[in-house]
Amino acid sequence: MTLYAKMFKRKTYYETVRETSNVSLRRKIKKEIRNVQCQGCKVIMMLFISVSALAWTKPINISNTEEPSNWPSIVVDNKSGNVCVVWADDWRAEYTGPKILCACWDDDSWQGPLKVADGSYGAGYPDVVVDTLGRVHVCWSELGTGEIHWSFFDGNSWSSSFNVSNKPGEDYCPRMVVDHKNHIHMVWHEYSDFGDIWYSFYNGSEWSTPQNITNDSVESAWADIAVDSKGHPHVVWMDYGDMDIHYFYYNGSAWSTPVNISYMDQPYGQSGFPRIALDSKDHPHVVWEERAHGEYVPYYTFYNGSTWTSPCKAFTEGGLEPTIAIDSYDLVHVAAKINKRTWYTSFNGFEWSIPVDISSPQRGGRPKLCMDKREWIHAVWASRDEIYYARDSIVDTIPHQYKVNESFPNPFDGEATISYELPKTSYVTITIYDTLGREV
């Protein structure tokens, strides 16, 4: 990404947004720029923060079953580096019976798929997480009974499935997350005219009684969940009352007041299928599909510490079912189904990268993303009743330190360019000095 900041005579500094909190960077910038000759001249500041990754690997079919496969989900065990993918197989119960399958990459080859559990009449919408002990946890919807089930792998075998919802009503589409204390948080929606978002908590030995956390008079659905560094869950969902995306979080004692974060002023449109991720400051970032006039477009917003930003398009073209992941540099990664393929883009806080088709030559839908500690981006998606996987790395494209490069040319007459690099997204203040150390 290139940001041009034009400095003119009598203008003392250029501030991109606000001062950076990194004092050493400010001092270094001031020191390095002292040698710039700037009398009656123009200086162009160039900020380089890579938002593009290396080439994605060729898509691999990791399901290879005779039955139709759908609804993939993915997680990385950062302790071992293994990648785990789950999906629903024969979910319509047309062949050998519905089941939840799991395949794992051990940094050498794919193992499986192995059966997690058999479904009843139908099984779908699985999700997967790995706890701090390396145990894989899987949840899914029993489509025939309207129940939310869960199982975990202890290193030798899968546990018997457990009915987490265990209440009247039909429950679907569970989503899970693990906190730093090894506790699992789960949300799902109840399917009815006044269905709500429900929440349950696993403390390592048992699941809590399901709690209705929206509890209003309108239908809510398609919830997603993330957890912050304090172990507090953040939840987003689609509210069918105003057809927008709502958000709240648990502060340790109560749920906050819901906030409409997708209001688009489109009287005939609706916002749906939200996904959430948190950055290193515990700020939530959310994507969803905006539906209006027969078109579907992925949108994005985030909380900057004081307010939610205005929603913007993650892709210029129409797309479905966007998903989101954030790396340790706080770069935002988004994938979505566009023109029957899975496309990927990233956002560095200033602009979106050029979208890349990561599923070609296959089709792609229902994508999921995750990051590992090596900064590999892992993606899965469904294509023609099979599950495909690909990955990419951003390590070699990210600066590893704060750096201010020498101006070019130096000395100069009329115009000069100074570039600087940031290892993560930051706000900076650039101050220009003359040869006597005075601010220009």
Side-chain angles (χ1 to χ4, degrees), residues 25-245:
L25 175 60
R26 283 206 307 269
R27 291 174 178 172
K28 186 172 183 179
I29 290 174
K30 290 181 179 180
K31 180 180 179 181
E32 295 291 336
I33 298 180
R34 287 179 189 273
N35 294 325
V36 176
Q37 303 291 327
C38 187
Q39 297 185 7
C41 65
K42 177 173 65 176
V43 178
I44 299 178
M45 303 300 301
M46 303 180 69
L47 167 62
F48 296 100
I49 304 177
S50 174
V51 297
S52 300
L54 302 178
W56 283 82
T57 60
K58 182 180 179 180
I60 301 173
N61 183 343
I62 61 174
S63 54
N64 282 312
T65 61
E66 295 180 358
E67 296 82 11
S69 304
N70 208 339
W71 292 308
S73 186
I74 186 171
V75 69
V76 175
D77 178 5
N78 280 325
K79 188 175 182 180
S80 66
N82 294 344
V83 180
C84 294
V85 179
V86 298
W87 65 90
D89 217 51
D90 193 20
W91 55 279
R92 292 185 293 258
E94 297 176 340
Y95 298 89
T96 59
K99 60 187 74 71
I100 302 298
L101 299 183
C102 176
C104 293
W105 170 264
D106 61 6
D107 217 23
D108 180 55
S109 61
W110 283 97
Q111 307 296 321
L114 300 176
K115 184 172 67 174
V116 176
D118 289 309
S120 54
Y121 176 75
Y125 303 106
D127 196 18
V128 59
V129 295
V130 176
D131 65 26
T132 58
L133 299 177
R135 296 177 300 189
V136 180
H137 299 254
V138 177
C139 65
W140 66 93
S141 300
E142 286 289 340
L143 304 179
T145 60
E147 299 170 344
I148 304 300
H149 281 233
W150 159 84
S151 178
F152 75 93
F153 188 73
D154 61 8
N156 296 307
S157 61
W158 290 95
S159 67
S160 299
S161 65
F162 177 78
N163 183 353
V164 177
S165 53
N166 194 27
K167 66 175 186 61
E170 298 183 18
D171 300 298
Y172 298 100
C173 305
R175 298 285 292 173
M176 292 188 298
V177 67
V178 178
D179 66 25
H180 64 286
K181 294 182 179 179
N182 224 24
H183 298 155
I184 301 176
H185 306 258
M186 184 191 297
V187 291
W188 65 87
H189 72 257
E190 178 183 297
Y191 179 69
S192 69
D193 291 339
F194 302 102
D196 287 296
I197 305 302
W198 291 74
Y199 166 83
S200 186
F201 171 81
Y202 182 69
N203 62 10
S205 60
E206 62 180 0
W207 285 92
S208 66
T209 301
Q211 175 189 4
N212 185 339
I213 58 175
T214 50
N215 197 24
D216 53 24
S217 60
V218 298
E219 183 180 359
S220 301
W222 313 111
D224 194 25
I225 187 169
V227 67
D228 61 31
S229 58
K230 297 179 180 178
H232 297 161
H234 298 240
V235 179
V236 290
W237 69 95
M238 178 181 179
D239 186 289
Y240 280 85
D242 53 25
M243 297 297 180
D244 281 316
I245 305 302

Side-chain angles (χ1 to χ4, degrees), residues 294-308:
E295 296 183 352
Y296 293 69
V297 180
Y299 267 76
Y300 162 80
T301 183
F302 72 97
Y303 184 74
N304 61 17
S306 59
T307 186
W308 285 89

Side-chain angles (χ1 to χ4, degrees), residues 78 226 275-287 300-303 308 323-335 344-349 352 369-373 375-378 394 424-425:
N78 280 325
R275 289 292 179 259
I276 185 172
L278 304 183
D279 62 26
S280 63
K281 298 178 182 177
D282 288 335
H283 295 164
H285 300 244
V286 180
V287 293
Y300 162 80
T301 183
F302 72 97
Y303 184 74
W308 285 89
T323 185
I324 186 172
I326 298 178
D327 62 37
S328 63
Y329 299 101
D330 283 346
L331 294 180
V332 177
H333 305 266
V334 176
Y344 160 85
T345 185
S346 60
F347 182 67
N348 62 8
W352 292 93
L369 295 176
C370 71
M371 302 294 305
D372 66 23
K373 62 183 179 181
E375 302 303 341
W376 280 94
I377 313 168
H378 302 265
I394 67 167
K424 63 186 302 181
T425 302

Side-chain angles (χ1 to χ4, degrees), residues 242-243 264-271 290-295:
D242 53 25
M243 297 297 180
M264 300 289 293
D265 195 23
Q266 296 186 115
Y268 302 106
Q270 60 178 224
S271 309
E290 191 67 27
R291 311 160 182 169
H293 309 294
E295 296 183 352

